[in-house]
Amino acid sequence: MKESPWGTVRLIRHRATGRLFILRQFSGNAEVYRKLLDCACPNLPIIYEAAEREGEALVLEEYIEGDTLDFLLRDALFSPDETRKSSHRSAGPCGFSTP
């Protein structure tokens, strides 16, 4: 799906169930993902697992079909102000404070 100098994001399929997941692999700390393991928020994908070893992190998360925020911003479907307002509305119900 996506590759950068910092890591990769891949769409994977569970062999037995056929279910799709996102697998993130990156250099760095997975702490923020570990904090989301117990978060049940309708505006965020479910984080199923977050692990790290020797500076490399792996995160398994729910696959949600649809346009990415990057796509919506790239094609200027929303202004920066509209995007900011939308992200504030999305984060609030999850218990996250937004500036």
Side-chain angles (χ1 to χ4, degrees), residues 13-25:
R13 183 182 305 274
H14 189 273
R15 286 186 183 137
T17 66
R19 225 172 129 196
L20 295 172
F21 296 91
I22 295 293
L23 180 65
R24 295 180 186 277
Q25 182 175 5

Side-chain angles (χ1 to χ4, degrees), residues 36-94:
L36 292 172
L37 282 169
D38 297 323
C39 179
C41 178
N43 301 318
L44 294 174
I46 297 168
I47 304 299
Y48 295 108
E49 189 63 63
E52 66 181 86
R53 181 173 59 183
E54 299 175 8
E56 292 294 316
L58 281 174
V59 176
L60 183 66
E61 68 183 61
E62 174 185 25
Y63 170 69
I64 300 173
E65 191 171 341
D67 293 331
T68 64
L69 184 58
D70 178 58
F71 172 80
L72 296 173
L73 293 174
R74 186 176 341 117
D75 292 341
L77 296 176
F78 297 105
S79 71
D81 188 51
E82 289 171 319
T83 302
R84 194 170 12 271
K85 287 177 183 174
S86 176
S87 66
H88 288 189
R89 284 191 303 271
S90 296
C94 300

Side-chain angles (χ1 to χ4, degrees), residues 29 33 45:
N29 190 320
Y33 289 101

